[in-house]
């Protein structure tokens, strides 16, 4: 299982690209952090999510 | 006035009103930016929504500089993590450092803010730290590489105005960086007063988000900030400690 944005997901084995597509994220408007390291955009298609990974998918929101 | 520019980290701005984007509908952002005349807008960095929800970037007019904040960070390390994520989103390298350990008063932790400023300035960020107005901490922020210093007027979201006025004045007088008054400014008159004191700019969010008519309040703030800036540049008239001073010639004709 992979923990993504605080939720446990059955995403192990998928590439980051595949996950973002399946989960309906706009990959141009987000940044992905895997195990507290930023994952460069060009690696989304080759990075495979592993059991136990902790992933954050981050974007801008309103704020002061 | 035309050559009176706000310089932050080598970038030039005409407007001295930094707009927040929190706590109101994204559909109002464009009108708020336009009526505020703002060239910088703050954002937060959070877990993303999926495509079926609106993205704030679609509502911000082109050419506006994005100033992501590190709200949510409780120490320097978390602020650095948020700042790096924000830069990776590809919208420039400005960052407003916001580090709070206290969730009741939301007061910034100056020491952690200094640490984060140093790390991020070394990584090439334009660092704008939100801080409690303390001269020693402000000097440390200058040495750490800050591009501006953002002291609070009163607690975040309180709309209470210039509770720290005397201490902000010390920063304005002693610190050779733009002093941008952030947090707590609730009314245009308070923004005007801070600008008369020599503040370089005003950041406001809640004052607009909780106003009856947001774009109209943005416009009111803009006028107040411009008026305060002009008054500062003009040099305020002196205040008498006692007595009066006639404004009319003292050569009356009714009595010799």
């Amino acid at each position: 299982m992979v923990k993504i944005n605080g939720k446990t997901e059955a995403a192990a084995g998928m590439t980051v690209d595949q996950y973002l597509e399946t989960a309906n994220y706009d990959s141009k408007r987000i940044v992905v952090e895997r195990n507290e390291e930023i994952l460069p955009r060009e690696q989304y298609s080759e990075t495979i999510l592993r059991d136990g990974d902790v992933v954050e998918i981050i974007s801008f929101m309103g704020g002061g | 006035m035309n050559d009176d520019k706000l310089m932050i980290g080598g970038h030039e701005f005409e407007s001295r009103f930094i707009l927040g984007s929190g706590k109101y509908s994204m559909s109002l952002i464009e009108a708020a930016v336009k009526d505020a005349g703002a060239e910088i807008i703050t954002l937060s960095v959070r877990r993303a929504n999926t495509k079926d929800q609106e993205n704030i970037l679609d509502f911000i007019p082109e050419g506006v500089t994005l100033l992501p904040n590190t709200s949510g960070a409780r120490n320097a390390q978390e602020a650095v993590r948020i700042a790096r994520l924000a830069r990776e989103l590809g919208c420039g390298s400005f960052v407003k450092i916001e580090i709070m350990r206290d969730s009741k008063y939301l007061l910034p932790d100056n020491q952690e803010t200094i640490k984060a400023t140093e790390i991020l300035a070394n990584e090439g960020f334009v660092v704008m730290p939100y801080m409690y107005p303390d001269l020693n901490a402000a000097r440390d922020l200058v040495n750490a590489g800050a591009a501006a210093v953002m002291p609070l007027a009163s607690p975040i979201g309180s709309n209470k105005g210039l509770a720290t006025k005397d201490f902000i004045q010390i920063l304005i007088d002693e610190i050779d960086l733009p002093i941008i008054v952030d947090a707590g400014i609730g009314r245009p008159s308070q923004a005007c007063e801070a600008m008369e004191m020599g503040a370089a700019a005003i950041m406001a969010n809640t004052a607009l988000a909780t106003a009856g008519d947001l774009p109209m309040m943005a416009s009111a703030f803009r006028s107040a900030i411009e008026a305060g800036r002009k008054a500062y540049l003009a040099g305020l008239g002196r205040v008498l400690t006692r007595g009066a001073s006639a404004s009319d010639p003292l050569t009356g004709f009714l009595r010799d």
Side-chain angles (χ1 to χ4, degrees), chain A residues 5 25-26 28-32 56-62, chain B residues 43-50 54-57 68 82 85-86 89:
Chain A
N5 281 5
Y25 285 102
D26 181 351
K28 291 185 295 295
R29 290 290 166 84
I30 52 124
V31 53
V32 175
E56 294 290 340
I57 300 169
I58 301 295
S59 70
F60 288 129
M61 301 271 164
Chain B
L43 297 166
S44 63
V45 179
R46 290 289 183 275
R47 283 176 172 164
N49 291 325
T50 49
E54 292 173 323
N55 187 293
I56 194 164
L57 293 180
I82 294 171
L85 286 165
L89 282 162

Side-chain angles (χ1 to χ4, degrees), chain B residues 111-249:
Chain B
Q111 271 184 305
E112 290 295 308
T113 301
I114 294 160
K115 280 189 223 165
T117 297
E118 184 161 20
I119 296 167
L120 293 169
N122 283 333
E123 292 182 15
F125 283 87
V126 176
V127 185
M128 300 171 65
Y130 167 63
M131 56 99 68
Y132 195 88
D134 172 84
L135 179 59
N136 296 310
R139 285 184 169 142
D140 289 344
L141 289 169
V142 174
N143 294 333
V149 175
M150 304 181 80
L152 64 90
S154 48
I156 289 181
S158 69
N159 282 352
K160 281 187 166 174
L162 284 167
T164 58
K165 184 180 173 185
D166 290 351
F167 302 96
I168 289 177
Q169 187 68 66
I170 292 173
L171 300 193
I172 292 169
D173 293 344
E174 301 301 328
I175 298 295
D176 195 20
L177 279 179
I179 302 298
I180 300 172
V181 178
D182 180 7
I185 294 288
R187 300 172 185 224
S189 56
Q190 295 157 353
C192 185
E193 186 176 5
M195 294 304 293
E196 286 170 357
M197 288 162 54
I202 301 293
M203 148 87 215
N205 189 148
T206 303
L208 307 181
T210 60
D213 182 323
L214 193 154
M216 194 186 283
M217 188 57 81
S219 164
F221 264 87
R222 176 188 193 164
S223 302
I225 289 165
E226 287 173 1
R229 180 65 184 172
K230 274 187 200 164
Y232 170 74
L233 293 175
L236 293 170
R238 90 300 184 244
V239 177
L240 293 178
T241 47
R242 57 174 59 190
S245 167
S247 301
D248 310 303

